[in-house]
């Protein structure tokens, strides 16, 4: 048992209610976020609010693409009986065990386990609990994690299925080994922030002219790393890569992203044709489940200086474990809304540190930038202690919907100081974009701007 | 394009409606189906009915454990817009492409992809379509598949992500190579059936005495292979294995099943302690996602003569591909209700054949025996041509709910001859056990026999 902490102790921390809202934005209308596999995304999220008797609430979310958001929201409701009536402070002091209860519900686990809809629902609940914890402590999540006693932090993780790579004792030791210089790194984050790259220059749906315009805009903002979507057809990809290099030059970094479009051998052949553009990495070359396939691709592309990145649709820590063990990726792209929330993501950071792989988080969507910059900042202050060749993805979308959105200056995420996990939506966002009854949705349906598919 | 076939041609094959029912049976009350991870299953299914203008309907299902069945049913509804109004005959002649449309829905795939809730929903829809196809042709599914032109059969499969192991042309060739002796094998199946093993002797919730009683009962029925659950505690496992060997002797086969309870190293240590009981296989020793972990376990247990079996919770063909590539299993346990229905399961059979691994299907639950015996019989007539060391699991549960249930004689599944996929429920089953409004559920709620958790 950990030392008691007055902020998270008290009978008034009983959870009185948990709600899940289906929130959608009509981003498909502008082609934003489009890629080879997801041609018409409507950036959406399941937005969970956990209320306590003390009156403090936690807000958390998982990102979705429109249709199916209601399915995840329903799953949050199915899990709610495990949350409601529990004391939040007791949850935090036995968080690893609580996480296992949520993910191992004896009947619901059959329709997962720890993947897809059920795990997205867990992520939204868990993220809301971290927001609550951080608000109770009066700190942003990155600072809460940075200040946390190593044993307490490690106790939030369920190590089931990963002890062959890292044990709780080893994780504690990794934190202790990297404690030196922590204050200095924290100070540095508050002053200059953490570097990011942009994906805003090359969605599949963008025209050549718009790509050039966007490149100029982001270069002017100080960006030095740029990602574009590939995989629709090779000639178009060559043209787009050429435009990018013309605009950003050869000192800046170029990354390309196929969003799972290829088979294993196809990925290798295709990327050899793009090698002349010297991409730093190819992202999601094939199925997000294909560890061995990614390992084959990594080995084949290594002579060309092209690394492999993946992770945004990696289902859970067991899949990440294998990607890390098999040298199937050289850049590990955790996602703050997919695997089972902060607790499980921390386990991936520990495995990546142990196996010496760089973490470069996926972000964008709704709230992903807001959440993940906390985690990467903690990694810098407390675990990896390094920013070398590391960036957080940045997409300029939906930030205006949040009360405390991320702030990017000179291509760096600034360290937020407001308590919580930065994912509380503005009341007017909910009023307008809750689906399907929000005022903006009703307007779009009425005016025929948007047609419901179901 | 395939040769036209009058049975599946016609404008009256337009699909007029698709429905999904939440069906549950209160099996948790008797401890049936209980294991180390699933302590209180209520055997359930999402039951899909697809109606056509011709008046012929298809019935298909996916198996669930109670809570969450409604979530999968809702997902079937979300996918229905891709099914309704389509011509079933045209679906069958472009089935591989249709399957990809269902699994790649541009927004819904984000909450999968091809795993968990969304893929279970796909399985139920796809299985209903095969039932419809077989009924239109007037054949049971095993016979439909056996008689099918190799090119047509292979065209039902989406080979995305698996062409590094098997291509469509290779699959056709495998069928041609194994065509000799087909009639003889078909005749044999109709006469003596296909061997099965029983899991009915050792659920975790059963007492020692009940286990002995069940062993005697199944030996008397002619069974020669018996599976028990392990993993709760080692002393209890040793005692249960001892009871089994006392009852079944050493000539009969014993298999043990841990249902994912262990970490990798723990699995090895535990199984070494059970090696004296000479189990044929250890089933699901660890996370169903851990290909590399299973490979490590396989290698470590091989000197003890213990094989590894897994697959009932394997998410999709990409995961099966890796299990097969990595020698992570020696017995491949396809499940008829989990991965995306018949089309995807066929792809696993082809990969297993190519990589020389035996398929021993998982069954039990609701309707799994009914469906999977069709597939294994096709494998025998048309692909592997062998029954050596192969069994289909058999559990005597819920068969009475179906109009054409499986028939087991002398520990063999008999070849059914009624058209379809054998998963049409009796009208009274629906009247009694549709959840929560079926008459039996209402009675159990009213009498306080069963309490709703949500």
């Amino acid at each position: 048992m950990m030392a008691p902490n007055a902020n998270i102790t008290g009978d008034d921390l009983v959870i009185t209610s948990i709600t899940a809202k289906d929130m959608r934005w009509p981003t498909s209308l502008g082609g934003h976020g489009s890629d080879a596999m997801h041609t018409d995304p409507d950036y959406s999220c399941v937005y969970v609010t956990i209320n306590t008797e003390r009156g403090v609430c936690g807000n958390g979310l998982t990102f979705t693409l429109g249709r199916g958001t209601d399915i995840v929201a329903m799953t949050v409701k199915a899990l709610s009986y495990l949350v409601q009536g529990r004391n939040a402070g007791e949850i935090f002091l036995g968080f690893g065990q609580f996480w296992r209860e949520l993910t191992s519900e004896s009947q619901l686990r059959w329709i997962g386990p720890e993947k897809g809809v059920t795990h997205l629902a867990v992520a939204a609940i868990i993220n809301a609990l971290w927001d609550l914890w951080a608000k109770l402590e009066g700190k942003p999540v990155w600072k809460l994690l940075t200040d946390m006693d190593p044993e307490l932090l490690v106790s939030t993780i369920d190590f089931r299925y990963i002890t062959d790579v890292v044990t709780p004792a080893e994780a504690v030791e990794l934190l202790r080994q990297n404690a030196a210089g922590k204050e200095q790194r924290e100070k540095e984050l508050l002053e200059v922030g953490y570097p990011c790259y942009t994906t805003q220059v090359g969605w599949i749906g963008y025209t050549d002219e718009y790509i050039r315009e966007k490149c100029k805009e982001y270069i002017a903002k100080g960006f030095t790393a740029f990602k574009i979507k590939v995989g629709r057809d090779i000639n178009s990809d060559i043209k787009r890569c050429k435009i990018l290099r013309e605009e950003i030059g050869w000192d800046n970094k170029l990354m390309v992203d196929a969003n799972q479009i290829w088979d294993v051998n196809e990925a290798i052949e295709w990327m050899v044709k793009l090698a002349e553009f010297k991409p730093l990495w190819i992202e999601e070359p094939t199925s997000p489940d294909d560890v061995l396939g990614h390992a084959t691709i990594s080995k084949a592309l290594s002579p060309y200086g092209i690394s492999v990145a993946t992770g945004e649709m990696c289902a859970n820590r067991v899949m990440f474990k294998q990607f890390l063990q098999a040298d199937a990726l050289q850049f590990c792209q955790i996602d703050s809304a997919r695997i089972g929330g902060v607790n499980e993501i921390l386990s991936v950071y520990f495995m990546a540190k142990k196996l010496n792989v760089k973490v470069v988080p996926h972000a964008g969507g709704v709230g992903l930038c807001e959440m993940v910059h906390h985690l990467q900042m903690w990694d810098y202050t407390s675990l990896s202690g390094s920013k070398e060749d590391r960036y957080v993805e940045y997409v300029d979308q939906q930030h205006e919907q949040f009360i405390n959105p991320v702030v990017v200056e000179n291509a760096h995420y600034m360290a937020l100081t407001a308590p919580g996990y930065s994912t509380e939506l503005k009341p007017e966002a909910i009023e307008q974009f809750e689906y399907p009854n929000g005022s903006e949705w009703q307007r779009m349906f009425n005016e025929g701007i948007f047609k419901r598919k179901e």
Side-chain angles (χ1 to χ4, degrees), chain A residues 13 95 134 159 165 178 198 217 226 336 358 393 408:
Chain A
L13 283 179
F95 215 167
F159 283 81
V165 165
N178 293 283
T198 180
E217 178 188 331
F226 303 80
S336 55
K358 296 183 182 88
E393 185 167 16
V408 168

Side-chain angles (χ1 to χ4, degrees), chain A residues 310-448:
Chain A
T310 191
E312 74 184 73
M313 293 181 88
C314 186
N316 54 46
R317 72 200 173 287
V318 179
M319 295 303 296
F320 270 117
K321 180 183 78 168
Q322 296 173 84
F323 275 102
L324 293 164
Q325 286 176 309
D327 194 21
L329 47 71
Q330 291 73 50
F331 291 96
C332 177
Q333 299 183 300
I334 55 141
D335 178 287
S336 55
R338 182 166 292 269
I339 70 173
V342 176
N343 314 43
E344 191 171 15
I345 297 170
L346 294 176
S347 80
V348 178
Y349 274 106
F350 282 112
M351 290 191 286
K353 172 71 182 173
K354 178 93 185 284
L355 297 176
N356 214 8
V357 176
K358 296 183 182 88
V359 177
V360 289
H362 171 249
V366 177
L368 303 186
C369 301
E370 275 65 25
M371 293 188 281
V372 88
H373 90 287
H374 287 279
L375 304 178
Q376 193 74 355
M377 285 187 177
W378 161 76
D379 174 66
Y380 180 58
T381 61
S382 307
L383 187 60
S384 77
S386 169
K387 297 188 204 167
E388 197 194 338
D389 261 353
R390 288 171 172 86
Y391 310 85
V392 179
E393 185 167 16
Y394 177 65
V395 183
D396 193 8
Q397 280 278 334
Q398 264 59 42
H399 302 298
E400 71 286 359
Q401 310 295 328
F402 293 97
I403 291 174
N404 291 301
V406 288
V407 175
V408 168
E409 287 176 10
N410 195 32
H412 283 66
Y413 280 93
M414 300 312 292
L416 295 183
T417 53
Y421 204 19
S422 314
T423 44
E424 190 166 344
L425 286 169
K426 291 178 183 167
E428 58 266 36
I430 295 170
E431 187 277 316
Q432 293 171 342
F433 292 103
E434 187 170 3
Y435 190 87
N437 293 320
S439 59
E440 272 299 293
W441 283 111
Q442 286 299 313
R443 182 185 65 78
M444 288 185 283
F445 295 144
N446 290 339
E447 295 179 10

